[in-house]
Amino acid sequence: MRLNFYLLSTAVGGFTALASPSLAQTLRVASATVIVQEGTSSASVTVSLQNGNAAATTVEAVLVPALSTATAGTDFTYAAAQTLTFPAGSSASQTLTIPLADDAAAEATEYFTLRLQNSSNGTVASNASDVLVYIKDNDAQAPAQNRSLRLNFLGSYQNGTAGSNSAEIVAHDPSTQRLYVANSVGGKLDILSLANPAAITPVTSINLTSYGGINSVAVRNGVVACAVENVAPQSNGAVVFFDANGVFQKQVSVGAMPDMIAFSPDGRYLLTANEGEPSQDYSSDPEGSVSIIDFAGGLAGVTQASVSTLGFGSYNAQAASLRAAGIRLYGGTAASPSSVAQDLEPEYIAVSPDSRTAYVTLQENNAIAALDLQTKQFTSLRSLGYQDHRQAGFALDASDQAPDILLANWPIRGMRQPDALAAFQLPGSSATYLITANEGDAREYTALTEAVRLGSTGYVLDPTAFPNAALLKDTHVLGRLNVTNKLGDTDGDGDFDEIYAFGGRSFSVVDAASGTVVHDSGDLLERLTATDPTFGGIFNASNSTGAPVRKNRSDDKGPEPEGVTTAVLRDTVYAFVSLERMGGVAVFDLNDPAQPRLVQYVNNRSASSGSGDQGPEGIVFIPATNSPTGQPLVVLANEVSSTVSVYGVQLNGRVLANRPRGQQPEPLYIYPNPAQGGRVRLSRPVTGTLCNALGRPVRHLQRAAEIELAGLPAGLYLLRTDTGATSKLIVR
């Protein structure tokens, strides 16, 4: 061990005194962030000096406009740089006091930044020179809920033990009043009776592990179709058909990893979104695709020849132009990048009300594709665009470690990355709109992991674009936020000129014809859950089992809207959006697609324990005509808790058991049409009368899904249902 001794220039008591070398005089802010409530008279910033010596030390505290959303002179007073003076020999702290204003505007949390500079007889610590002062608004109110529609919780069914079972997707069959649940964790198709929505009972469970892994389920007129991925996930998957009791009927092959399955409204087509995810090392990377099964002849007519699987190979030569248009293409490895067809990963499908066009979300790619079901051709591939979180109405709570909810605007762009979507038309209009649940998702494989913490050393912010990079990387600012490392290096120099976060924390309304986003809900869902009198205490909690932890998803994708469905009640289109993390359903009036109105938020999750419904994913609306009670229902499949919950629908406090005057009946389709002998199928079970051209009844139907044609002469017939729907039938 080497010992160093230092001699003083004077002797004391006959001895030469020993001392340590002089230490540097260091100035630093006490904390990188300060949180203060608007309405407080001032904010206090503490600056400390360490190792003061015989001379006085000074330092300036200046305002940094580059990282401020609050306005000097309006929100706070800070006219010019202020100088702090530490007397000779001082090693104490001084407090900088900044007067605050109290305006009447409802706004996001604002902030301003101060920096220590121009010190004398001292050095400003490089990692403690800046302080960001949050001003929490005191005027913001909880978003108004007009409650024109009310969801009333009826009950929740425990679908096996959570953890070893799940309830991911749910489908309803009105012909049997059964629910069919995709239990992916348990590897089963669970069949439940909905005869009493307040007390669901089990019917049976079908083990599907011999077929592969179940991802989704759809049902129509007693035919149950399951989307099943191969035991070797990168190989082609299957659609496995069962009858209403779960008895196997047949199966056909579809593309790799079918993640979602749906019937078209007229029942003619059955479609699967085949995600085609790669293996962990990208040694196998199947193409994403959509499979179309011709179902016009019913299940009896389905063979492998009925399946058309459509990929995106025609876009392979357009990678550069697609990227320029905002579509994310980044899969594969440096040595073997994915083609466009491999990179596009279909997630979810919605079919237009006329059953002519399918709209397909490509979640990781932040895009939507349109597919003509008659020509079996993709007709468009469009980016869903990016949010600008600097704009009013697009604030976010970005840290799971900041002690308070801080919905603020930041220099971040949000990748909407929708999961589910639904197609709808306004009453009396033929224009089609889409509503997307902007959940967000990251690719995380051994060969490609794009999610990184903004504060990580490997994520370098461009010093010109972000001169306050060190402060942004603080864990109480943006340091904990998960961002992508595959987008944002605009000049290719290895650092990031733009920041892109996963998911929009919102829903969007899109004009289906043009692909234009006509509305994005922005920060509404976070404002809604933050101010909820019951669930604000678990704001942005995860859906994991155990006691909920407030804000532990703020650094990820917030509430993660995942499921969405729509319904027409009276003359209003309503949307029901499920929130995967916080739980529950938010309801919106969509009659003005550019300005949806919040109707209600409900949640059946415990705010103090790991009980109740957690992780809602699949959501279905059951109209009054298809409901076992005659009341419209909303059914949620809650993946984490493995529960199926049911809500009754009321309008203006009244139960809707029958169709009110002026409401358009659900469309009714007959196929094949024209028909010749045998039977025709109906797009849904109905009660009504089939009349000939003279108006004379020839058949009376009671919740029938088919019409027997034997004995009917050739001619024109009209089917009238008890709900007011009509459909023409030609018999040859």
Side-chain angles (χ1 to χ4, degrees):
M1 177 184 297
R2 176 181 296 176
L3 299 178
N4 293 318
F5 296 90
Y6 299 86
L7 298 179
L8 291 178
S9 58
T10 59
V12 180
F15 294 94
T16 301
L18 304 178
S20 299
S22 60
L23 299 176
Q25 291 73 51
T26 305
L27 294 149
R28 62 177 60 243
V29 293
S31 173
T33 59
V34 172
I35 302 173
V36 63
Q37 186 76 28
E38 185 183 51
T40 305
S41 61
S42 62
S44 298
V45 173
T46 300
V47 179
S48 65
L49 171 66
Q50 295 176 319
N51 308 313
N53 61 18
T57 299
T58 64
V59 67
E60 285 184 345
V62 298
L63 186 65
V64 183
L67 193 59
S68 295
T69 58
T71 303
T74 302
D75 300 303
F76 64 98
T77 301
Y78 205 87
Q82 298 190 31
T83 299
L84 296 176
T85 300
F86 294 82
S90 172
S91 291
S93 299
Q94 293 198 28
T95 299
L96 190 63
T97 301
I98 304 101
L100 302 179
D102 184 5
D103 60 33
E107 52 202 356
T109 294
E110 296 179 307
Y111 54 85
F112 62 91
T113 302
L114 297 178
R115 172 172 293 164
L116 302 182
Q117 66 178 31
N118 296 336
S119 60
S120 66
N121 194 36
T123 301
V124 177
S126 61
N127 62 347
S129 61
D130 293 358
V131 57
L132 185 144
V133 180
Y134 290 104
I135 306 174
K136 285 202 66 177
D137 186 65
N138 63 351
D139 300 297
Q141 302 294 317
Q145 303 178 38
N146 69 28
R147 301 188 184 275
S148 59
L149 176 148
R150 294 181 67 92
L151 296 182
N152 296 313
F153 177 71
L154 299 180
S156 184
Y157 171 77
Q158 185 66 51
N159 192 52
T161 304
S164 56
N165 292 276
S166 63
E168 188 168 350
I169 301 297
V170 61
H172 172 249
D173 183 16
S175 69
T176 60
Q177 290 306 336
R178 289 178 174 178
L179 298 175
Y180 296 85
V181 180
N183 181 344
S184 60
V185 173
K188 298 179 290 185
L189 169 68
D190 295 319
I191 305 176
L192 312 175
S193 172
L194 189 66
N196 180 0
I200 294 173
T201 56
V203 176
T204 189
S205 291
I206 312 301
N207 190 313
L208 295 189
T209 55
S210 62
Y211 303 99
I214 181 171
N215 286 330
S216 186
V217 61
V219 61
R220 192 176 191 87
N221 299 336
V223 176
V224 184
C226 297
V228 178
E229 72 177 53
N230 201 298
V231 291
Q234 281 68 50
S235 299
N236 284 342
V239 172
V240 185
F241 294 95
F242 300 90
D243 69 11
N245 297 313
V247 177
F248 173 80
Q249 302 296 299
K250 62 177 65 175
Q251 73 179 74
V252 294
S253 294
V254 292
M257 205 172 291
D259 198 45
M260 186 266 180
I261 188 167
F263 283 96
S264 61
D266 64 4
R268 180 175 178 180
Y269 306 106
L270 179 62
L271 302 101
T272 61
N274 309 315
E275 195 162 8
E277 288 185 351
S279 59
Q280 284 290 322
D281 61 0
Y282 262 95
S283 61
S284 177
D285 187 7
E287 294 185 357
S289 62
V290 173
S291 293
I292 304 173
I293 302 173
D294 189 335
F295 209 76
L299 182 57
V302 172
T303 66
Q304 190 60 46
S306 305
V307 183
S308 301
T309 296
L310 311 174
F312 296 90
S314 61
Y315 291 97
N316 279 342
Q318 302 178 40
S321 60
L322 292 173
R323 288 191 183 97
I327 295 174
R328 302 184 71 222
L329 299 170
Y330 59 98
T333 63
S336 180
S338 300
S339 67
V340 173
Q342 290 172 314
D343 205 77
L344 297 177
E345 297 185 5
E347 184 81 22
Y348 204 93
I349 297 172
V351 182
S352 61
D354 63 6
S355 297
R356 292 177 176 270
T357 307
Y359 300 96
V360 185
T361 56
L362 306 163
Q363 186 173 31
E364 289 82 357
N365 313 102
N366 196 42
I368 295 177
L371 173 61
D372 188 312
L373 294 178
Q374 295 178 314
T375 66
K376 296 183 174 62
Q377 298 288 326
F378 287 104
T379 57
S380 68
L381 181 57
R382 297 186 176 106
S383 169
L384 198 60
Y386 300 89
Q387 296 171 329
D388 185 347
H389 287 294
R390 295 171 300 183
Q391 294 182 347
F394 287 87
L396 76 161
D397 187 73
S399 173
D400 62 340
Q401 294 188 6
D404 215 337
I405 297 174
L406 301 169
L407 288 166
N409 296 108
W410 296 104
I412 298 170
R413 304 194 74 186
M415 303 179 288
R416 291 189 170 98
Q417 299 182 300
D419 188 328
L421 80 168
F424 68 94
Q425 292 178 343
L426 301 178
S429 172
S430 60
T432 299
Y433 293 92
L434 308 173
I435 178 169
T436 64
N438 302 329
E439 177 202 21
D441 199 11
R443 285 179 170 153
E444 296 182 272
Y445 306 108
T446 55
L448 188 162
T449 299
E450 66 167 316
V452 296
R453 301 281 188 188
L454 189 147
S456 64
T457 56
Y459 188 81
V460 180
L461 293 172
D462 180 86
T464 301
F466 301 103
N468 300 89
L471 185 57
L472 287 176
K473 285 174 168 282
D474 186 84
T475 58
H476 287 191
V477 187
L478 300 181
R480 292 283 297 169
L481 184 67
N482 274 308
V483 296
T484 179
N485 60 13
K486 293 296 181 180
L487 194 63
D489 181 7
T490 60
D491 53 15
D493 63 353
D495 59 27
F496 291 90
D497 312 278
E498 296 176 341
I499 300 169
Y500 286 84
F502 297 100
R505 309 188 182 203
S506 66
F507 69 85
S508 297
V509 181
V510 181
D511 183 308
S514 65
T516 302
V517 175
V518 299
H519 175 80
D520 189 289
S521 66
D523 55 26
L524 174 62
L525 295 177
E526 281 195 289
R527 289 192 291 113
L528 173 65
T529 52
T531 55
D532 187 273
T534 301
F535 298 100
I538 60 168
F539 168 78
N540 277 355
S542 184
N543 57 10
S544 55
T545 57
V549 178
R550 178 176 178 260
K551 280 172 57 75
N552 70 341
R553 295 299 295 183
S554 288
D555 57 322
D556 292 290
K557 301 182 288 289
E560 293 189 27
E562 176 154 354
V564 63
T565 190
T566 60
V568 179
L569 294 170
R570 295 186 177 163
D571 295 321
T572 302
V573 179
Y574 290 96
F576 305 87
V577 182
S578 64
L579 306 183
E580 182 184 12
R581 295 294 173 172
M582 275 284 294
V585 182
V587 186
F588 297 89
D589 175 341
L590 294 180
N591 266 20
D592 183 350
Q595 292 184 313
R597 295 190 298 164
L598 175 63
V599 176
Q600 188 189 17
Y601 172 64
V602 294
N603 196 344
N604 185 50
R605 175 185 187 170
S606 170
S608 59
S609 67
S611 60
D613 298 321
Q614 294 169 272
E617 184 158 333
I619 182 170
V620 295
F621 176 85
I622 301 175
T625 53
N626 291 344
S627 168
T629 62
Q631 179 188 16
L633 304 173
V634 171
V635 182
L636 275 178
N638 304 285
E639 182 180 11
V640 174
S641 58
S642 192
T643 54
V644 177
S645 49
V646 184
Y647 294 82
V649 179
Q650 294 183 353
L651 278 183
N652 298 317
R654 300 179 62 184
V655 175
L656 285 175
N658 296 295
R659 182 176 61 87
R661 180 180 300 176
Q663 180 183 330
Q664 297 296 317
E666 183 181 355
L668 176 64
Y669 302 96
I670 303 174
Y671 55 94
N673 192 5
Q676 187 172 359
R679 295 172 178 267
V680 293
R681 297 178 65 84
L682 307 179
S683 59
R684 56 185 170 83
V686 299
T687 298
T689 304
L690 183 69
C691 300
N692 62 18
L694 299 177
R696 296 171 180 168
V698 295
R699 294 281 191 277
H700 293 287
L701 309 178
Q702 184 67 36
R703 298 197 66 80
E706 298 179 330
I707 301 175
E708 174 63 56
L709 300 184
L712 293 183
L716 176 66
Y717 295 84
L718 182 67
L719 175 58
R720 290 192 178 95
T721 74
D722 60 353
T723 63
T726 61
S727 190
K728 293 179 181 179
L729 168 65
I730 299 174
V731 177
R732 290 176 175 170

